[in-house]
């Protein structure tokens, strides 16, 4: 596991996406952003009637009943960057070991500089377990990540999400009732979903990506299924194919398709499940022939990357290595030199000889931070438009200062709690993931007899 301790403040802020957005918005820097509203404080979008706010997910439909953030006190909304930095630093110093701050790779630098650990969602949930003395875990990420941290932490540890409006548009594309309804329709097609064939396999195994609600992790736990990350998706699918004739994969169609394709599953045997259509939009015959049923979900950050951007990068930077995240569409993954999780991308850059050039297809905060941390390389984002994840962007330093100062006063705000009825099966699905191992390599052929 790679858990990164944040480097020095001056390195980070030299590359800040927030600063770039402000300069572009004022017309004092070249470039463009996907939404001029990014230059405003995220509180301007809290509690509003609709939408994930400016950024890559601004065109997605936010589900009714999604958590809303109450009004952030004015003293945090009007504070300068320097004041917020000092207030966060002082609150953390007062709290000491009583708090641990986790910063996801896609967070803005002005938050990451205060993180005790940075990493991807599962790395961070595990990192929190190394600080059992902490009474509070402040997760600077999105809602499903805080839920996962709550699943893995002690019951007396409070997991705090600084802005409750920091959901995840991809996770929201698969809700529990739609998946339950899908499951019932699959039972009509396949019959008893617990009945095994001659090889001991059930008709379908549900697999959920880590980027999903705790409710869905609980659903797969109750139904013989498993969780995967972008690092272990292939191992998890192999686990599932040992136990099932096919897989129902949600919420990210692209991770499911890219992983199954790399395993040799034909595209024709990967129908999409659109929850708004009967049988997801497929025929019973297509579902009978399916190996992987892909939920109709996607990440709006990674969907921005295109084959044309890769062609342009190759034309402008001969010898460039193009690495993209497997949440990108299949043609983009096929056109890249490599695809892998955020951890994979970081390690590839760390291992490269000085003077390498990388075009990276993942969230821009991580890409710009890597460019600042590895000046011996040329590193740039495939997408020339500055367009961060809308919901990660909701975690502004103002919210971090607020939740920490509330803790100093003995008050826990924005606590994320998963009820036991959901947490028990969700933990079971996570435990299955941790126990899943890649298949042992085939034994090497016996050496030929001498003289043969
Ligand atoms: S980058 Fe995509 S998957 Fe990650 S939190 Fe943002 S919307 Fe969700």
């Amino acid at each position: 596991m790679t858990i990164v301790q944040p480097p020095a403040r001056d390195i980070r802020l030299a590359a800040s996406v927030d600063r770039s957005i402000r300069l572009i918005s004022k017309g004092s820097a070249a470039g463009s952003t996907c939404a001029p509203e990014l230059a405003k404080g995220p509180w301007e979008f809290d509690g509003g009637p609709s939408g994930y706010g400016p950024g890559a997910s601004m065109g997605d439909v936010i589900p009714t009943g999604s958590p809303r953030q109450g009004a952030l006190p004015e003293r945090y909304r009007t504070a300068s960057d320097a004041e917020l930095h000092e207030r966060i630093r002082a609150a953390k110093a007062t709290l000491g070991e009583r708090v641990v701050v986790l910063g996801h790779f896609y967070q803005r630098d002005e938050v990451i500089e205060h993180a005790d650990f940075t990493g991807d969602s599962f790395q961070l949930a595990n990192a929190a377990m190394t600080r059992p003395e902490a009474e509070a875990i402040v997760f600077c990420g999105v809602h499903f990540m805080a839920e996962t941290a709550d699943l893995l932490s002690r019951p007396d540890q409070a997991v705090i999400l600084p802005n409750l409006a920091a959901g995840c548009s991809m996770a929201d594309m698969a809700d529990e009732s739609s998946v339950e309804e899908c499951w019932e329709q699959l039972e009509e097609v396949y019959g008893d979903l617990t009945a095994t064939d001659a090889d001991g396999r059930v008709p379908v195994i549900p697999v959920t990506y880590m980027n999903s609600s705790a409710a869905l992790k609980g659903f797969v736990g109750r139904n013989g299924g498993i969780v995967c990350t972008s690092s272990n998706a292939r191992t998890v699918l192999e686990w599932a194919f040992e136990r099932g004739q096919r897989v129902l994969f949600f919420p990210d169609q692209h991770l499911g398709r890219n992983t199954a394709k790399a395993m040799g599953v034909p595209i024709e045997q990967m129908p999409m499940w659109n929850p708004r259509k009967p049988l997801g939009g497929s025929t019973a015959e297509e579902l009978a022939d399916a190996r992987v049923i892909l939920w109709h979900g996607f990440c709006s950050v990674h969907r921005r990357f295109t084959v044309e951007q890769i062609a342009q990068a190759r034309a402008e930077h001969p010898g460039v290595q193009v690495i993209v995240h497997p949440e990108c569409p299949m043609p983009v993954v096929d056109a890249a030199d490599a695809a892998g999780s955020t951890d994979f991308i970081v390690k590839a850059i760390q291992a490269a000889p000085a003077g390498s050039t990388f075009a990276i297809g993942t969230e821009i905060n991580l890409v710009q931070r890597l460019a600042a941390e590895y000046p011996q390389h040329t590193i740039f984002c495939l997408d020339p438009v500055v367009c961060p994840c809308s919901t990660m962007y909701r975690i502004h330093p103002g919210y971090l200062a607020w939740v920490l100062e509330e803790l100093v006063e003995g008050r826990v705000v924005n606590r994320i709690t998963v009820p036991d009825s959901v947490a028990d099966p969700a933990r079971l699905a996570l435990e299955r993931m941790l126990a899943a191992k890649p298949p042992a390599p085939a034994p090497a052929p016996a050496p030929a007899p001498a003289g043969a």
Side-chain angles (χ1 to χ4, degrees):
M1 182 200 310
T2 302
I3 301 171
V4 185
Q5 299 288 346
R9 171 177 165 81
D10 56 340
I11 295 177
R12 293 207 174 282
L13 294 187
S16 161
V17 170
D18 284 12
R19 282 190 170 192
S20 301
I21 288 170
R22 272 183 247 165
L23 291 173
I24 293 169
S25 305
K26 282 189 210 150
S28 47
S32 59
T33 64
C34 59
E37 293 81 8
L38 284 165
K40 298 181 179 177
W43 41 84
E44 303 218 14
F45 308 94
D46 288 342
S50 63
Y52 289 97
S57 300
M58 59 193 162
D60 296 335
V61 178
I62 194 165
T64 314
S66 295
R68 297 276 188 233
Q69 175 62 45
L72 183 68
E74 189 177 2
R75 62 184 179 280
Y76 299 103
R77 286 185 269 133
T78 54
S80 67
D81 292 351
E83 184 187 343
L84 289 173
H85 174 78
E86 184 50 31
R87 292 177 82 141
I88 294 168
R89 192 204 59 72
K92 276 197 76 188
T94 302
L95 291 163
E97 300 291 299
R98 293 170 51 210
V99 69
V100 58
V101 176
L102 308 177
H104 189 271
F105 279 139
Y106 297 166
Q107 272 299 323
R108 55 177 86 210
D109 291 355
E110 290 78 359
V111 166
I112 286 289
E113 64 182 314
H114 298 289
D116 297 300
F117 299 99
T118 64
D120 65 26
S121 61
F122 196 55
Q123 288 170 342
L124 290 175
N126 279 305
M129 293 167 68
T130 67
R131 298 285 294 274
E133 70 286 358
E135 298 160 22
I137 298 165
V138 177
F139 207 128
C140 298
V142 296
H143 194 269
F144 75 81
M145 300 177 185
E147 285 187 325
T148 305
D150 187 55
L151 291 173
L152 298 179
S153 60
R154 287 197 329 263
D156 59 316
Q157 288 180 299
V159 178
I160 292 169
L161 183 64
N163 184 336
L164 293 177
C168 163
S169 56
M170 178 213 277
D172 289 343
M173 288 175 192
D175 64 277
E176 191 184 11
S177 67
S178 300
V179 173
E180 292 272 13
E181 197 178 316
C182 164
W183 199 244
E184 286 169 16
Q185 291 187 51
L186 292 181
E187 188 152 34
E188 288 169 18
V189 174
Y190 301 133
D192 182 357
L193 295 181
T194 62
T196 52
D197 63 11
D199 295 322
R201 299 177 307 164
V202 294
V204 57
I205 296 278
V207 176
T208 192
Y209 188 21
M210 186 66 76
N211 301 22
S212 61
S213 66
L216 284 190
K217 293 182 179 81
F219 171 87
V220 300
R222 287 196 306 277
N223 290 287
I226 185 167
V227 179
C228 78
T229 68
S230 52
S231 299
N232 65 16
R234 182 177 183 131
T235 298
V236 165
L237 284 190
E238 282 161 350
W239 179 98
F241 283 132
E242 282 172 14
R243 292 158 177 82
Q245 297 158 23
R246 57 185 70 75
V247 163
L248 171 64
F249 190 96
F250 43 84
D252 184 25
Q253 57 172 293
H254 299 300
L255 178 65
R257 185 181 294 111
N258 289 322
T259 308
K261 181 175 177 239
M263 294 168 68
V265 177
I267 295 297
E268 312 77 68
Q269 288 186 296
M270 294 190 234
M272 186 104 80
W273 187 277
N274 182 337
R276 286 183 290 280
K277 295 183 178 176
L279 293 186
S282 297
T283 64
E285 292 73 28
E286 286 167 336
L287 291 173
D289 188 45
R291 298 294 317 286
V292 181
I293 302 164
L294 298 167
W295 196 263
H296 191 232
F298 54 85
C299 166
S300 291
V301 171
H302 291 98
R303 204 171 66 149
R304 290 181 58 83
F305 300 110
T306 64
V307 172
E308 290 71 31
Q309 290 167 354
I310 295 179
Q312 188 172 351
R314 293 199 194 285
E316 293 175 0
H317 300 271
V320 66
Q321 294 177 63
V322 179
I323 309 182
V324 301
H325 195 281
E327 291 173 17
C328 293
M330 184 180 71
V332 174
V333 169
D334 289 348
D337 296 305
S341 64
T342 44
D343 189 42
F344 173 91
I345 293 169
V346 171
K347 284 181 175 153
I349 290 171
Q350 284 172 343
S356 300
T357 302
F358 292 97
I360 304 295
T362 195
E363 214 270 354
I364 190 161
N365 277 285
L366 174 61
V367 180
Q368 290 205 188
R369 194 171 307 125
L370 288 169
E373 289 173 13
Y374 296 92
Q376 69 272 36
H377 302 317
T378 300
I379 300 172
F380 60 93
C381 186
L382 264 181
D383 184 359
V385 175
V386 177
C387 195
C389 169
S390 299
T391 48
M392 291 280 180
Y393 205 67
R394 303 299 277 264
I395 310 288
H396 183 277
Y399 300 90
L400 180 56
W402 170 57
V403 299
L404 290 173
E405 291 189 345
E406 287 293 312
L407 281 174
V408 169
E409 296 300 321
R411 294 186 290 267
V412 174
V413 292
N414 283 18
R415 183 170 184 175
I416 302 297
T417 309
V418 180
D420 287 347
S421 59
V422 171
D424 292 342
R427 279 192 206 101
L428 177 61
L430 287 167
E431 283 161 13
R432 288 182 184 135
M433 179 188 80
L434 293 173
K437 297 273 182 274

